[in-house]
Amino acid sequence: MTDNNGMAANPAFLSSGDQVDSLSETECRELLGTRTFGRVGVTSGGLPVILPVRYLYEADAITFRTGSGTKLRAAEQGDVLAFEVDAYDDETKRGWSVLVLGRASVLTTEHEHDGIPTLEPSDPDTRINHYVRLGCELITGRRLLPANGE
Amino acid sequence: MTDNNGMAANPAFLSSGDQVDSLSETECRELLGTRTFGRVGVTSGGLPVILPVRYLYEADAITFRTGSGTKLRAAEQGDVLAFEVDAYDDETKRGWSVLVLGRASVLTTEHEHDGIPTLEPSDPDTRINHYVRLGCELITGRRLLPANGE
């Protein structure tokens, strides 16, 4: 009955029913430190949004710079943000993804000596001159494995 | 006053105040077709969550397989989901990110002949045997560029 023209014609997609496997919090924290590019998830006007950021993971917090848009507004309101980092190898169909949930705050110079990353003086030539910090309150991760039988 | 011990000590992070530049919808659609691994953003219990998926972009829709968790529940309720795909080169500090918003639905065998991807028979050996489709109702994208002066 199935004519198999669609997904079956696309081997890459066929193998997407990957098995997942949880990572420990320790593994997640190690992986967070291995990358500098991730994504922030925020609910904006009731809708989910995913935005790319470069980040620093230090003192169990994610810090990133941002302009005066969705991410800054969320941080000013102290919203809970999601932050995700992953790696995936299309050939081996293996990878991992770490998800952090935490309340966001805008960093100011007051924070400079609290052991969290030092603020750079803001640069009038760039409009992306706010720093947002996200405490790693809830960390989960999954290992992505090929589907059975591959 | 700033002691520059934190962010200043991390050149990768210092350059994170990247300039962004919008992509056209046509560019976004082309880029969606170049990848098979992306991330779904969903609001679960009022909190944003980002989950990795392998996907197929066809007929201006994103299709992915999932188990019976957050993503399936969202699709059963017809929620609006976010979907993001990106690429980033840490050396050149260049990349792109495409964000799709659309209402999710669970694919069933009824959809087989509507010109959308054909359902594989569900595999009792894998627990990831549901197909979710996300129409690309709103597509935006940004080019990630190094900050000024780099």
Side-chain angles (χ1 to χ4, degrees), chain A residues 38-146:
Chain A
R39 296 132 206 116
V40 169
V42 53
T43 300
S44 175
L47 298 176
V49 176
I50 302 176
L51 298 164
V53 292
R54 299 203 68 199
Y55 74 98
L56 176 69
Y57 174 65
E58 197 174 275
D60 207 32
I62 303 293
T63 307
F64 59 89
R65 291 213 287 200
T66 186
S68 49
T70 307
K71 298 189 290 289
L72 183 67
R73 277 196 301 279
E76 284 171 343
Q77 294 167 8
D79 288 354
V80 172
L81 298 188
F83 176 79
E84 192 257 9
V85 182
D86 59 44
Y88 189 79
D89 181 331
D90 210 46
E91 288 206 6
T92 61
K93 301 187 178 64
R94 287 172 184 274
W96 53 266
S97 168
V98 171
L99 178 67
V100 172
L101 282 182
R103 209 164 282 278
S105 57
V106 181
L107 284 189
T108 67
T109 46
E110 289 168 34
H111 296 95
E112 273 184 63
H113 301 291
D114 293 351
I116 56 174
T118 305
L119 273 183
E120 281 300 289
S122 75
D123 176 357
D125 292 335
T126 171
R127 59 194 168 82
I128 306 181
N129 55 2
H130 302 277
Y131 286 86
V132 172
R133 183 174 190 259
L134 180 67
C136 296
E137 293 169 39
L138 181 67
I139 305 188
T140 56
R142 46 177 69 185
R143 200 170 276 117
L144 307 170
L145 305 171

